[in-house]
Short mmCIF file of all heavy atoms in Angstrom, two decimals:
data_model
loop_
_atom_site.label_atom_id
_atom_site.label_comp_id
_atom_site.label_asym_id
_atom_site.label_seq_id
_atom_site.Cartn_x
_atom_site.Cartn_y
_atom_site.Cartn_z
N GLU V 338 6.73 21.38 -6.52
CA GLU V 338 8.08 21.69 -6.94
C GLU V 338 8.38 21.56 -8.38
O GLU V 338 9.04 22.42 -9.02
CB GLU V 338 9.04 20.79 -6.18
CG GLU V 338 9.23 21.07 -4.73
CD GLU V 338 10.15 22.20 -4.36
OE1 GLU V 338 10.54 22.88 -5.32
OE2 GLU V 338 10.24 22.54 -3.20
N ALA V 339 7.68 20.63 -9.05
CA ALA V 339 7.84 20.45 -10.44
C ALA V 339 7.16 21.51 -11.25
O ALA V 339 7.67 22.07 -12.33
CB ALA V 339 7.23 19.11 -10.94
N VAL V 340 5.99 22.02 -10.81
CA VAL V 340 5.32 23.20 -11.28
C VAL V 340 6.23 24.50 -11.21
O VAL V 340 6.45 25.20 -12.13
CB VAL V 340 3.97 23.47 -10.53
CG1 VAL V 340 3.37 24.86 -11.06
CG2 VAL V 340 3.06 22.39 -10.91
N LYS V 341 6.82 24.60 -10.05
CA LYS V 341 7.69 25.77 -9.80
C LYS V 341 8.92 25.80 -10.76
O LYS V 341 9.27 26.80 -11.40
CB LYS V 341 8.29 25.70 -8.31
CG LYS V 341 9.10 26.92 -8.04
CD LYS V 341 9.58 26.76 -6.53
CE LYS V 341 10.53 27.92 -6.06
NZ LYS V 341 9.72 29.16 -6.08
N ALA V 342 9.52 24.57 -11.03
CA ALA V 342 10.63 24.48 -11.89
C ALA V 342 10.18 24.74 -13.34
O ALA V 342 10.91 25.43 -14.10
CB ALA V 342 11.29 23.13 -11.80
N ALA V 343 9.03 24.26 -13.72
CA ALA V 343 8.53 24.55 -15.02
C ALA V 343 8.27 25.96 -15.33
O ALA V 343 8.56 26.43 -16.43
CB ALA V 343 7.23 23.66 -15.27
N VAL V 344 7.67 26.59 -14.32
CA VAL V 344 7.44 28.07 -14.50
C VAL V 344 8.83 28.90 -14.50
O VAL V 344 8.94 29.72 -15.38
CB VAL V 344 6.64 28.62 -13.36
CG1 VAL V 344 6.42 30.12 -13.29
CG2 VAL V 344 5.24 27.96 -13.32
N GLU V 345 9.77 28.48 -13.70
CA GLU V 345 10.98 29.17 -13.68
C GLU V 345 11.76 29.02 -15.07
O GLU V 345 12.43 29.91 -15.52
CB GLU V 345 11.85 28.75 -12.51
CG GLU V 345 11.27 29.19 -11.18
CD GLU V 345 12.14 28.58 -9.95
OE1 GLU V 345 12.94 27.66 -10.26
OE2 GLU V 345 11.93 29.10 -8.92
N HIS V 346 11.66 27.87 -15.56
CA HIS V 346 12.29 27.59 -16.71
C HIS V 346 11.66 28.09 -18.02
O HIS V 346 12.12 28.00 -19.20
CB HIS V 346 12.50 25.98 -16.94
CG HIS V 346 13.40 25.42 -15.99
ND1 HIS V 346 13.42 24.04 -15.65
CD2 HIS V 346 14.29 25.93 -15.17
CE1 HIS V 346 14.29 23.83 -14.72
NE2 HIS V 346 14.92 24.99 -14.46
N ASN V 347 10.40 28.69 -17.73
CA ASN V 347 9.74 29.37 -18.79
C ASN V 347 9.60 30.87 -18.63
O ASN V 347 8.74 31.56 -18.92
CB ASN V 347 8.33 28.80 -18.94
CG ASN V 347 7.57 29.24 -20.35
OD1 ASN V 347 8.12 29.09 -21.36
ND2 ASN V 347 6.35 29.65 -20.15
N GLY V 348 10.73 31.42 -17.99
CA GLY V 348 10.82 32.87 -17.90
C GLY V 348 9.78 33.44 -16.86
O GLY V 348 9.45 34.56 -16.85
N GLY V 349 9.35 32.60 -15.84
CA GLY V 349 8.47 33.00 -14.78
C GLY V 349 7.01 32.95 -15.22
O GLY V 349 6.07 33.38 -14.44
N LYS V 350 6.74 32.46 -16.39
CA LYS V 350 5.38 32.25 -16.82
C LYS V 350 4.89 30.85 -16.92
O LYS V 350 5.71 29.93 -17.20
CB LYS V 350 5.21 32.90 -18.26
CG LYS V 350 5.42 34.46 -18.28
CD LYS V 350 5.30 35.00 -19.65
CE LYS V 350 5.55 36.48 -19.68
NZ LYS V 350 5.43 37.04 -21.08
N VAL V 351 3.59 30.65 -16.70
CA VAL V 351 3.11 29.20 -16.72
C VAL V 351 3.13 28.81 -18.21
O VAL V 351 2.48 29.41 -19.09
CB VAL V 351 1.70 29.23 -16.16
CG1 VAL V 351 1.13 27.79 -16.35
CG2 VAL V 351 1.65 29.56 -14.73
N PRO V 352 3.83 27.72 -18.50
CA PRO V 352 3.92 27.19 -19.89
C PRO V 352 2.56 26.66 -20.32
O PRO V 352 1.78 26.16 -19.56
CB PRO V 352 4.95 26.19 -19.84
CG PRO V 352 5.05 25.75 -18.45
CD PRO V 352 4.70 26.91 -17.58
N SER V 353 2.32 26.80 -21.69
CA SER V 353 1.10 26.24 -22.19
C SER V 353 0.95 24.78 -22.09
O SER V 353 -0.14 24.20 -21.96
CB SER V 353 0.92 26.79 -23.67
OG SER V 353 1.97 26.22 -24.42
N ASP V 354 2.13 24.09 -22.14
CA ASP V 354 2.09 22.63 -21.93
C ASP V 354 2.54 22.25 -20.54
O ASP V 354 3.39 21.35 -20.37
CB ASP V 354 3.03 21.97 -22.88
CG ASP V 354 4.48 22.51 -22.92
OD1 ASP V 354 4.75 23.55 -22.19
OD2 ASP V 354 5.36 21.79 -23.43
N LEU V 355 2.00 22.90 -19.46
CA LEU V 355 2.33 22.70 -18.16
C LEU V 355 2.38 21.18 -17.71
O LEU V 355 3.28 20.70 -17.06
CB LEU V 355 1.50 23.54 -17.20
CG LEU V 355 1.84 23.34 -15.67
CD1 LEU V 355 3.34 23.78 -15.47
CD2 LEU V 355 0.94 24.21 -14.87
N ARG V 356 1.29 20.51 -18.17
CA ARG V 356 1.11 19.06 -17.71
C ARG V 356 2.38 18.30 -18.14
O ARG V 356 2.99 17.49 -17.39
CB ARG V 356 -0.13 18.48 -18.29
CG ARG V 356 -0.30 17.09 -17.94
CD ARG V 356 -1.53 16.46 -18.55
NE ARG V 356 -2.73 17.00 -17.90
CZ ARG V 356 -4.08 16.52 -18.16
NH1 ARG V 356 -4.21 15.65 -19.14
NH2 ARG V 356 -5.05 17.02 -17.44
#
Side-chain angles (χ1 to χ4, degrees):
E338 289 283 359
V340 171
K341 183 179 180 68
V344 170
E345 289 177 347
H346 293 160
N347 193 49
K350 297 180 181 179
V351 177
S353 58
D354 60 342
L355 180 58
R356 182 181 283 186

